[in-house]
Amino acid sequence: MENILLAVQLLMTPAALAAIVLGTIFGAIVGSLPGLGSVLAITIVLPFTYSMDMIPSIALVLSIYCSSVFGGSLSAILINTPGTPQSAATVLDGFPMTRSGKAAEAIGWATVSSVIGGLFSAIILILAAPQLAAVALKFGPIETFALIALALTCIAGVSRGSMVKGILAGLLGLLLATVGTDPMTGSTRFDFEIFQLSAGVSLVPVLVGLFAFTEVFWRLGERDQPIVTSVMRGGFVVAPLREWWLRRVTLLKSATIGTLVGILPGTGAATASFIAYAEVKRSGAFRDNLGKGEPEGIVASETSNNAVTGGALVPTLALGIPGDPVTAVVMSTLIIQGVQPGVRLFVDNPEVMNAAFLALILSNIALLAVAALGTRGITKVLAMPEPVLLTMVVVLSTVGSYGVNGSMFDVLVALIAGVVGLGLRYCSVPVAPIVIGLVLGPIFEESLRQGLIITDGSFAAFFAFQRPIALGLILVTVALLAITARGEG
Amino acid sequence: MTNKHTDLIFGLLMLGLAGALWLETSRPQYEGIEALNNGFPPSFYPRILLSIWAVLAGVIILKALAATGRGPRLRIGRLACAVLAVVGYVWALDEVGFLLASYAFTLIFMLVQGYRNARVVAAITVIFPTAAWWLMTGPMRISLPTSPWFDAF
């Protein structure tokens, strides 16, 4: 109780509340712009959190995370183009509603569904994360090693492109994490006699390069650019409670699907929204009208994709294992602020975690207010010419990567990462595993080396029956590799 | 370029890179100090990663031989101009400071993208870098590169 009161006190400051409101507006705007999405939205602001206090910076990132997923639905409804892949299923019924003159109603359905999905998953997060962390306290280095191996395999397996390339990308991330001083021996590795590399590769410039610069370069190089149709006028009308009651089962089912899918590493909101949509198509009360502008389709898609936010934060906060690039960036914010996500988080920083949970709930409430008051303004941004937008992204990303350490070297790293990311994208290599590998690399190496010291250098002990958790995780990893390899072959 | 060629080049590049990095790990600094190593020198873990990396690169090369289809078609000229503009911007940041470099970059980058609405270009060129500079150096308290001619920016 004392911790909760302290968390309320920490969050009820002008800076934290302003961060929630501004983050919600910014996230909704960037999320609504086709192709930009949650990762870019958070990546752009991440460097600026260095100069902010801990709680406002966490509140800012969490509110952007929630609202950017919602923002994708605005363009899906108004211009038939999902702003983020998460909202792809929203197009199916959202745009037909707009064409029949019900854009404001469609946005109302999407907003309230998003808020309900977000709040549902936030409650699950609050209940589940400490329990999972308590179980994970029993994890030793070998179990941690096996868990990270499983997470990386999951992410590589479900990434776009082939699994072999996905694992290679994960290895690249793990190898990047070894640049700099070896924590066990103090020797420098892969510094190539460049002084700045002896401190390692900073995460933020790599993120900015791989996501922001690569996206800009790719869009400029694309031959077949998406044609944006005229933007319909947005609005916000909430359907009567009776209409919501008729769709309550879909609401609950979709929130559950989104939360569970979010907990699984590597899956994400796009998968959740299509699973929820498929489920409503199978069993929904209004399934015969789906695809023709039926609000139940929007409810399924938007509830589930926003419910992923809380679900995805469960393994990120409790185990320190981010399941996708967005949560990897969220985790980076915590690390920047000196908070290490993982099993000790709930023991060492309970007040910070309670404040984060509270921020997540407030973000969802702020989302409702921002959508109700500012949808018209936000949708005007959709009409912004892409050249202006991409120029702004480059300038903000450059400033952001410079601001981390006040170093031009970081800007150079971001630029190189952007060009490398472009090449990787051309070769159909997913970049998400690089980020996850870079974030988890130090713990992965440490747990492997500690595990080997414990077992006197025996790899076989990692697979022993005396360690059932590690054995189980490794068996699941091997099975997953085999299944995916068979699917690819 | 066909997928076969793209994957073949990518696989060979990765294999070469793995080899080069393996060679790097054979330098004396990777042997560490035996008393601190616990039997696992600094090269131990990177070499495990590089071994798997090399095997995967081999798999990519083998799979490339059977690959079909074409990769995405890109407008190379426009792409090269964009990359050069950003490289120039990064160079200019260090030479003339954030504000002046950003004015020039904002103008050039919109033109490189083929955007020709003069009023919008002029307005964005002046307003956006100034607003970004004010936001960073003011409320965000992030110091940005300054020019050699002016103290403030």
Side-chain angles (χ1 to χ4, degrees), chain A residues 51 165 188 190 221 488, chain B residues 7 29-30 63 75 78 140:
Chain A
S51 63
K165 290 178 180 174
T188 51
F190 303 115
E488 267 191 35
Chain B
D7 284 357
Q29 74 193 71
Y30 289 85
K63 284 181 79 174
R75 292 190 286 189
R78 202 166 116 126
M140 304 297 302

Side-chain angles (χ1 to χ4, degrees), chain A residues 172-354:
Chain A
L172 178 60
L174 291 175
L175 206 65
L176 272 177
T178 65
V179 174
T181 309
D182 173 17
M184 278 196 164
T185 62
S187 304
T188 51
R189 297 182 294 192
F190 303 115
D191 63 336
F192 306 104
E193 292 175 9
I194 298 168
F195 171 70
Q196 289 92 336
L197 282 181
S198 61
V201 179
S202 293
L203 178 65
V204 174
V206 175
L207 278 172
V208 167
L210 285 178
F211 291 111
F213 283 158
T214 298
E215 186 62 41
V216 170
F217 293 150
W218 188 262
R219 276 176 170 235
L220 286 172
E222 257 180 332
R223 216 167 258 270
D224 307 314
Q225 288 180 318
I227 298 161
V228 176
T229 49
S230 59
V231 181
M232 303 280 188
R233 280 169 68 88
F236 182 80
V237 173
V238 178
L241 204 59
R242 189 171 48 84
E243 293 288 319
W244 285 98
W245 184 249
L246 292 172
R247 292 162 181 90
R248 66 191 182 280
V249 178
T250 299
L251 208 56
L252 190 65
K253 264 189 191 173
S254 307
T256 310
I257 289 170
T259 308
L260 293 178
V261 169
I263 292 171
L264 298 173
T267 42
T271 314
S273 66
F274 276 108
I275 292 174
Y277 195 84
E279 177 54 27
V280 79
K281 212 167 182 178
R282 190 187 68 80
S283 63
F286 301 91
R287 59 181 177 274
D288 294 338
N289 295 331
L290 285 176
K292 300 171 196 163
E294 166 52 46
E296 198 168 26
I298 300 175
V299 171
S301 169
E302 287 303 308
T303 310
S304 58
N305 68 21
N306 259 61
V308 166
T309 54
L313 286 171
V314 173
T316 308
L317 298 177
L319 304 175
I321 311 280
D324 56 26
V326 192
T327 43
V329 185
V330 172
M331 187 169 147
S332 309
T333 315
L334 293 169
I335 296 169
I336 287 169
Q337 294 295 337
V339 178
Q340 180 65 48
V343 293
R344 299 285 313 166
L345 181 62
F346 293 86
V347 180
D348 297 338
N349 301 87
E351 72 290 346
V352 174
M353 274 308 90
N354 287 328

Side-chain angles (χ1 to χ4, degrees), chain A residues 48 51-52 162 164-165 167-168 171-172 174-175 178 182 184-185 187-193 213 216-223 225 385-388 390-392 394-396 398-399 402-403 408 411-412 415 419 422 424 426-427 429 441 444-445 448-449 452-453 457 459 488, chain B residues 1 6-7 10 14 21 24-25 27 29-30 32-33 36-38 40-46 48-50 52-53 56-57 59-60 63 71-75 78-79 82-83 86-87 89-90 93-94 98 102 105-106 109-110 113 115 120 124 128 132 136 140-145:
Chain A
F48 308 122
S51 63
M52 295 170 70
S162 82
V164 178
K165 290 178 180 174
I167 297 175
L168 195 78
L171 284 172
L172 178 60
L174 291 175
L175 206 65
T178 65
D182 173 17
M184 278 196 164
T185 62
S187 304
T188 51
R189 297 182 294 192
F190 303 115
D191 63 336
F192 306 104
E193 292 175 9
F213 283 158
V216 170
F217 293 150
W218 188 262
R219 276 176 170 235
L220 286 172
E222 257 180 332
R223 216 167 258 270
Q225 288 180 318
E386 190 173 276
V388 175
L390 296 184
T391 307
M392 289 177 173
V394 173
V395 173
L396 288 177
T398 308
V399 171
Y402 176 85
M408 282 307 292
V411 182
L412 203 62
L415 183 59
V419 175
L422 180 70
L424 292 175
Y426 185 80
C427 297
V429 180
F444 192 58
E445 180 179 5
L448 172 67
R449 285 164 84 168
L452 285 171
I453 291 168
F459 268 115
E488 267 191 35
Chain B
M1 201 186 282
T6 310
D7 284 357
F10 176 70
M14 289 298 112
L21 292 174
E24 163 70 15
T25 62
R27 290 173 59 197
Q29 74 193 71
Y30 289 85
I33 302 162
L36 295 173
N37 286 348
N38 288 305
F40 307 106
S43 62
F44 169 75
Y45 172 71
I48 294 176
L49 298 180
L50 288 170
I52 305 170
W53 180 325
L56 292 177
V59 173
I60 290 172
K63 284 181 79 174
R73 289 160 64 101
L74 296 176
R75 292 190 286 189
R78 202 166 116 126
L79 185 60
V83 174
V86 178
V87 170
Y89 177 46
V90 171
L93 275 177
D94 213 18
F98 171 77
S102 297
F105 172 76
T106 307
F109 205 58
M110 281 190 281
Q113 294 174 73
Y115 191 62
V120 176
I124 297 289
F128 179 67
M136 303 305 154
M140 304 297 302
R141 289 169 289 161
I142 293 173
S143 61
L144 294 173

